[in-house]
Amino acid sequence: MAEVLVYVDHVDGAVRKPTLELLTLARRIGEPVAVALGNGAADTAAALAEHGAVKVLTHDAAEYADYLVVPKVDALQAAVAAVSPAAVLVPSSAEGKEIAARLAVRIGSGIITDAIDLEAGDEGPVATQSVFAASFTTKSRVSKGTPVITVKPNSAAVEAAPAAGSVEALDVTFGALATGTKVTGRTARESTGRPELTEAAIVVSGGRGVNGTENFAIIEALADSLGAAVGASRAAVDAGWYPHTNQVGQTGKSVSPQLYIANGISGAIQHRAGMQTSKTIVAVNKDAEAPIFDLVDYGVVGDLFDVVPQLTEEINTRKG
Amino acid sequence: MSLRIVVTVKYVPDATGDRHFADDLTVDRDDVDGLLSELDEYAVEQALQIADEAEDAEISVLTVGPEDAKDALRKALSMGADKAIHVEDDDLHGTDAIGTSLVLAKAIEKAGYDLVISGMASTDGTGGIVPALVAERLGVPQVTLLSEVSVEDGVVKGRRDGDAASEQLEASLPAVVSVTDQSGEARYPSFKGIMAAKKKPVQSWDLSDLDIEAEDVGLEGAWTAVDSATERPTRTAGTIVKDEGEGGKQLAEYLAGQKFI
């Protein structure tokens, strides 16, 4: 069976959920061979084996942390040369897409980004994408070279599928470009304890109607009652009420959770672009004419300052 | 020493219009208005600010696209860019991201550059990979997704805000930069700027000017193939209730029914 390279997104050896989802998709088109780089790379092996990796190629060097993107491209290129895979799968993070892009040019391959599903086809893997603010679904293939495909979080269920997961050292030689962009400083983001926005099963968002930084506390309280991530519309971010890293929409993150709750968000096309593929959509808005209500499975026309705290209290009561 | 800045921009279908696909599964550009991708305005803005700080700088704005794409160039010129380059060729129809990066890289090399600045992504394709692709093809550092950028003494510095951390980056020129919508509000063209833009030079290049073979670009030469495009069914109308004091509880009841609680 053909081997499929899966690029591993991990933090000091802790594998992030989108990579485990990729292993599920990789098994549909071949045998997953994982590539883990940087600090803690070897520590990823157990989790990867449990989810179907037949082999884990690892390499650690200071370059991965000290320089941007290119050292990881060098390593992935070395893995492609070593394995001759049927496809290369990379999580659709900002960095993941850049790594995949540069790799594709180097190996003379086409690239598909932000796939939301993947299946085997007669002429190679077929990727589903959601385009034009999720108003269209396309199916595409890479027609030249080894398919390089980046896949969005929440595109597949994480499935346990124990495999050998034997660890092998990857031999990597860094090229001249690897040290081109130096990381001169790094400030870790303070953890909120909430799930990662793009990976969360439930997202609770606030928009213009939240009307102030301090009022986001009621959005956060609702999120915490549901174990959800907090999102914000561009209007709320531009007003300085919530960090840009939480922005949902065309210029922020696109999310595809099981449940999306939009509070005080009108639903401009730019926002819809980032959340329209959510499975269930709920909105609370004072304006009965807000376009968001065209998308919802359930909507409440009302003041979010009345509705949201009542909802939170009710959820907390029901949870007992 | 003069600083040569090339800003890559894209002419995109208006997101508020009814965007759809043509019969050949390329983007239909006839039935919806086009405009300069909003995210590229931030790139033009940062180029203007960097040029202001430089002793002597020249900003060229570059696009690959059909005849109408000149509108995107005019907008950038009216914001303050010095000159424009339009790569236009019938054989470019249907070119994918890899092909576009080939054309951009050849045009950037032909134009001459110290710094390339792009928006973080286009507002139509939203892939966000073209700056990395262009950097790879040019063989220069990429300093991408910056929310802050500055250039001094032949070095570009910037801040990249990622999910896990905020990174300070640094690279020697020549380099490819991309900027996010957090980099700073883009200026509106002034009346004077709009008038001045009409007199600024717009060069037109085709594939032969860039020594690119037609079979390496366009729909036929694309590295990817779209097999189908299906319009997403409109969502069935949901339940809408008016809050008369029990809206939160009603919503909780709905969420419980859907097994979210």
Side-chain angles (χ1 to χ4, degrees):
Chain A
M1 204 172 177
E3 290 171 313
V4 176
L5 278 189
V6 172
Y7 178 82
V8 177
D9 188 3
H10 70 98
V11 180
D12 298 332
V15 180
R16 295 181 62 181
K17 185 164 150 267
T19 300
L20 301 179
E21 295 167 8
L22 275 194
L23 290 170
T24 299
L25 294 174
R27 291 203 307 276
R28 295 183 191 167
I29 52 179
E31 287 193 321
V33 173
V35 181
L37 307 171
N39 184 41
D43 300 337
T44 62
L48 297 169
E50 192 188 325
H51 293 90
V54 297
K55 207 187 291 179
V56 181
L57 305 175
T58 66
H59 187 248
D60 188 15
E63 279 83 350
Y64 297 120
D66 293 348
Y67 298 93
L68 191 72
V69 173
V70 185
K72 293 167 181 167
V73 182
D74 287 349
L76 208 45
Q77 187 181 12
V80 169
V83 171
S84 301
V88 181
L89 306 184
V90 181
S92 259
S93 62
E95 185 188 49
K97 287 200 282 189
E98 292 185 332
I99 293 169
R102 298 190 73 132
L103 176 75
V105 167
R106 286 208 194 162
I107 63 176
S109 292
I111 177 171
I112 290 172
T113 52
D114 295 326
I116 56 167
D117 201 4
L118 200 61
E119 61 207 315
D122 295 339
E123 299 165 87
V126 177
T128 305
Q129 289 164 291
S130 176
V131 301
F132 292 163
S135 57
F136 279 83
T137 302
T138 60
K139 287 188 186 288
S140 306
R141 289 171 291 114
V142 168
S143 45
K144 289 184 189 173
T146 304
V148 177
I149 300 170
T150 78
V151 181
K152 287 174 81 162
N154 287 325
S155 295
V158 173
E159 290 169 8
S166 53
V167 177
E168 281 181 27
L170 180 66
D171 194 11
V172 181
T173 309
F174 294 120
L177 277 178
T179 53
T181 308
K182 193 168 175 46
V183 180
T184 56
R186 183 177 283 122
T187 315
R189 200 163 296 288
E190 246 176 74
S191 171
T192 59
R194 297 191 182 92
E196 186 70 43
L197 184 57
T198 52
E199 300 168 16
I202 302 178
V203 174
V204 176
S205 281
R208 196 186 300 275
V210 176
N211 198 27
T213 308
E214 61 286 354
N215 298 337
F216 256 90
I218 70 168
I219 303 297
E220 290 177 334
L222 173 58
D224 291 343
S225 75
L226 290 163
V230 177
S233 73
R234 179 158 177 192
V237 169
D238 282 354
W241 301 337
Y242 222 69
H244 180 246
T245 42
N246 295 69
Q247 185 179 316
V248 172
Q250 190 168 53
T251 60
K253 299 216 165 72
S254 75
V255 298
S256 198
Q258 296 297 319
L259 171 64
Y260 188 84
I261 307 181
N263 301 287
I265 292 175
S266 66
I269 181 77
Q270 288 79 2
H271 188 75
R272 301 205 316 250
M275 48 66 75
Q276 200 156 345
T277 54
S278 304
K279 308 291 178 295
T280 298
I281 297 174
V282 169
V284 178
N285 201 304
K286 273 199 289 203
D287 177 10
E289 304 297 317
I292 191 87
F293 285 123
D294 296 340
L295 297 182
V296 299
D297 298 285
Y298 195 92
V300 180
V301 179
D303 190 335
L304 72 91
F305 294 100
D306 297 328
V307 177
V308 173
Q310 188 182 64
L311 170 62
T312 307
E313 194 188 329
E314 185 70 18
I315 292 168
N316 287 332
T317 306
R318 282 173 188 250
K319 285 199 306 191
Chain B
M1 201 184 78
S2 134
L3 180 70
R4 297 165 300 167
I5 305 173
V6 178
V7 184
T8 61
V9 301
K10 188 174 183 187
Y11 179 74
V12 298
D14 187 347
T16 59
D18 182 20
R19 295 179 293 178
H20 54 270
F21 289 87
D23 291 342
D24 64 357
L25 299 181
T26 62
V27 176
D28 188 335
R29 289 175 175 274
D30 292 337
D31 290 348
V32 56
D33 288 339
L35 43 73
L36 169 62
S37 174
E38 183 209 328
L39 291 167
D40 293 338
E41 292 184 16
Y42 296 92
V44 176
E45 177 62 37
Q46 290 309 310
L48 292 166
Q49 291 189 19
I50 289 166
D52 276 349
E53 294 295 316
E55 249 173 59
D56 175 22
E58 182 180 59
I59 302 171
S60 303
V61 53
L62 164 68
T63 198
V64 179
E67 169 69 24
D68 296 351
K70 281 200 173 58
D71 291 355
L73 295 175
R74 286 286 170 215
K75 173 83 184 274
L77 290 172
S78 64
M79 287 173 73
D82 300 302
K83 57 182 194 174
I85 300 163
H86 184 191
V87 181
E88 186 190 5
D89 198 305
D90 289 345
D91 289 327
L92 284 168
H93 174 77
T95 304
D96 66 357
I98 295 268
T100 300
S101 71
L102 172 69
V103 179
L104 285 172
K106 291 267 194 184
I108 290 163
E109 276 173 338
K110 185 177 166 75
Y113 72 103
D114 302 298
L115 180 63
V116 178
I117 308 184
S118 308
M120 59 184 277
S122 69
T123 55
D124 59 345
T126 69
I129 59 172
V130 167
L133 289 170
V134 168
E136 178 68 32
R137 288 196 183 276
L138 293 174
V140 302
Q142 69 169 76
V143 197
T144 44
L145 297 170
L146 303 182
S147 46
E148 258 176 29
V149 58
S150 65
V151 174
E152 209 175 328
D153 299 330
V155 175
V156 54
K157 294 182 183 181
R159 192 182 84 234
R160 171 171 166 124
D161 293 324
D163 288 340
S166 189
E167 293 169 328
Q168 298 291 337
L169 304 177
E170 191 176 304
S172 296
L173 300 183
V176 172
V177 160
S178 77
V179 297
T180 73
D181 57 329
Q182 298 297 298
S183 58
E185 199 69 31
R187 70 193 65 185
Y188 286 104
S190 62
F191 178 71
K192 205 175 134 200
I194 293 167
M195 296 313 288
K198 293 182 179 175
K199 296 191 185 111
K200 290 177 179 173
V202 179
Q203 260 184 307
S204 277
W205 291 343
D206 61 15
L207 288 177
S208 65
D209 291 319
L210 300 176
D211 293 323
I212 296 172
E213 301 297 328
E215 65 252 33
D216 290 335
V217 292
L219 198 53
E220 294 300 314
W223 279 256
T224 48
V226 181
D227 289 334
S228 70
T230 320
E231 191 155 13
R232 194 181 162 88
T234 38
R235 295 182 84 103
T236 44
T239 308
I240 311 254
V241 300
K242 190 170 172 5
D243 177 36
E244 282 162 345
E246 299 284 298
K249 287 185 182 166
Q250 287 170 282
L251 182 46
E253 189 61 38
Y254 171 78
L255 295 179
Q258 300 292 312
K259 307 269 189 277
F260 288 116
I261 305 174

